[in-house]
Amino acid sequence: MTTVIDDIGLLVTNDPAIGRGALGLVENASIVIDDGVVVSVGPAGQLADDRVDAAGRCVLPGFVDSHSHLVFAGDRAEEFTARMAGTPYDGGGIRVTTEATRAASTERLMELTARRVGEARRYGTTTLEIKSGYGLNVIDEVRSLEVANRFTSETTFLGAHLVPSEYVGRTDDYVDLVCGEMLEAAAPLAKWIDVFCERGAFDADQSARVLDAGKAAGLGLRLHGNQLSEGPGVRLAVEKGCASVDHCTYLSDEDIEALASSNTVATFLPATDFSTRQPYPNARRVIDAGAQVAIASNCNPGSSYTTSVPFCIALSVRDMGMTIEEAVQAVTLGGARALRREDLGRLAPGSAGHAVILDAPSYHHLAYRPGVDVVDRVIGG
Ligand code: NIG
């Protein structure tokens, strides 16, 4: 089936060979999508049976949200409220969500996840990575991945999210379980493996073991690092060849150099810094050093309960030193790179026909109108 998105006032292609600047901007454009793939970008006025009228507004590639934890039950509004009153975030609430998730039926987890996926889509997300990590035993990690697989092919095994209550004081034994029986059961259901390398979660040696085991099982590598303090996470991620290291809130000069000389994407999660009252990372330093960056929602019940990529764009521009163009690119091409997906993040011939039509004349409105739903329609994905 052929779809034409016509009368696009301003099109973001992310292909400088097609249009102006890094965003590859084209005015008065149309795009033709055949069987889900962009086949051409041209002037407005093309015909097709399925014609979507952008009415002179802005169209950009669908957002690629490369970090989310959508499979969970329970609520941690009280923890958030306490944080706003000064209690620091330490990740310990992961165990509260683990208890609620283990107690929920698979049907209920499916329903809750579907609701969150639908919400993300309404805000323009066409590709979502979804992690496990609130099961923390073999049965419930597998169950979480089975649910995640119903919504995305970008599934991540995060058995090494936190040591569950029954293993407190026996972290190495838990790492044995994650790298053994749990990984064996999870690997067929996951594309990626992830580990939370942070004080209070897993140290560098334990994290390295998890990544090595995941790689041996054929999974791609990702890492949560440098969220609550400087630490070994970023350098370990680079050394192990992770596709992405996520959070990057506290970065030393050495970390930035390591990122800049690597293929590992630095993924910022600004809604987390917002919801945990952490300082925002200085993305400017990272970009100016030449590292690749992405921005993702990190939607989860503890540190960042939002599915809104536009909200993350607004924070990145307001508080992380990014230009609007850099932020838009970080949630499209950046997310695609963080998932090693060549087919996503552009609206150019050969790319997936995943598009967002804004109810606005330009992409600037994504940052300029914070908290307002500026997405009119989402196509594909
Ligand atoms: O990325 N840091 C680890 N994991 C999540 C938080 C999960 C939670 O608090 O429930 C994060 O922020």
Side-chain angles (χ1 to χ4, degrees):
M1 147 136 139
T2 303
T3 300
V4 167
I5 309 178
D6 202 9
D7 195 17
I8 302 171
L10 181 64
L11 173 66
V12 175
T13 66
N14 272 340
D15 186 343
I18 296 182
R20 274 187 297 116
L23 291 185
L25 297 173
V26 186
E27 275 96 8
N28 303 318
S30 66
I31 52 181
V32 182
I33 300 167
D34 217 346
D35 287 331
V37 176
V38 177
V39 290
S40 71
V41 174
Q46 301 192 58
L47 298 176
D49 292 343
D50 183 26
R51 181 179 177 277
V52 177
D53 187 354
R57 296 171 298 177
C58 180
V59 173
L60 63 161
F63 303 140
V64 182
D65 187 350
S66 59
H67 185 134
S68 87
H69 306 249
L70 297 190
V71 187
F72 65 86
D75 179 278
R76 283 162 55 199
E78 272 180 28
E79 179 192 315
F80 173 79
T81 307
R83 216 156 45 232
M84 293 303 108
T87 307
Y89 175 82
D90 65 1
I94 292 169
R95 292 194 189 100
V96 174
T97 302
T98 298
E99 204 176 308
T101 304
R102 287 177 179 177
S105 68
T106 304
E107 197 180 32
R108 177 73 180 140
L109 287 177
M110 200 74 91
E111 194 181 292
L112 289 167
T113 306
R115 204 182 295 169
R116 294 167 192 138
V117 170
E119 191 180 275
R121 184 171 173 86
R122 281 199 300 285
Y123 287 109
T125 296
T126 49
T127 303
L128 258 173
E129 179 264 14
I130 303 180
K131 301 176 198 299
S132 66
Y134 293 115
L136 307 186
N137 60 29
V138 177
I139 287 180
D140 293 299
E141 281 297 302
V142 164
R143 225 157 53 93
S144 300
L145 285 167
E146 281 168 353
V147 172
N149 268 285
R150 296 289 287 268
F151 301 96
T152 186
S153 58
E154 300 294 341
T155 52
T156 300
F157 168 49
L158 181 57
H161 197 187
L162 197 72
V163 174
S165 314
E166 64 274 19
Y167 274 89
V168 167
R170 295 188 294 134
T171 305
D172 285 324
D173 292 345
Y174 183 64
V175 172
D176 288 345
L177 174 68
V178 169
C179 297
E181 192 190 338
M182 203 186 281
L183 175 62
E184 201 178 311
L189 297 164
K191 176 170 172 187
W192 304 95
I193 190 164
D194 197 340
V195 55
F196 185 19
C197 180
E198 190 80 50
R199 216 176 302 147
F202 300 92
D203 67 21
D205 290 344
Q206 292 156 347
S207 301
R209 278 187 62 202
V210 171
L211 294 176
D212 290 344
K215 188 173 180 184
L219 303 182
L221 310 183
R222 331 184 62 75
L223 186 143
H224 283 63
N226 301 55
Q227 174 182 5
L228 304 173
S229 57
E230 276 187 26
V234 165
R235 274 160 287 147
L236 179 67
V238 168
E239 182 193 318
K240 294 292 178 189
C242 288
S244 178
V245 53
D246 299 32
H247 283 288
C248 296
T249 300
Y250 293 90
L251 296 177
S252 65
D253 290 344
E254 225 181 323
D255 293 328
I256 294 177
E257 271 167 39
L259 285 166
S261 59
S262 79
N263 202 19
T264 300
V265 175
T267 299
F268 299 115
L269 310 171
T272 313
D273 305 307
F274 174 89
S275 297
T276 57
R277 287 201 191 278
Q278 294 283 319
Y280 290 98
N282 184 345
R284 188 74 274 129
R285 278 170 75 211
V286 181
I287 293 170
D288 289 348
Q292 301 187 69
V293 301
I295 297 169
S297 74
N298 186 23
C299 182
N300 75 76
S303 68
S304 178
Y305 199 5
T306 181
T307 47
S308 172
V309 166
F311 174 60
C312 299
I313 294 175
L315 292 179
S316 307
V317 172
R318 167 67 176 72
D319 291 309
M320 283 167 42
M322 294 177 83
T323 65
I324 301 180
E325 286 74 15
E326 286 166 343
V328 164
Q329 200 147 66
V331 300
T332 49
L333 259 192
R337 287 185 182 129
L339 294 174
R340 299 277 191 257
R341 291 282 300 269
E342 291 286 326
D343 57 326
L344 301 175
R346 290 189 181 83
L347 284 173
S351 308
H354 299 173
V356 176
I357 303 178
L358 297 183
D359 188 11
S362 82
Y363 57 83
H364 296 90
H365 285 234
L366 288 162
Y368 169 49
R369 306 214 61 214
V372 174
D373 181 9
V374 293
V375 171
D376 178 62
R377 184 163 170 183
V378 179
I379 293 171

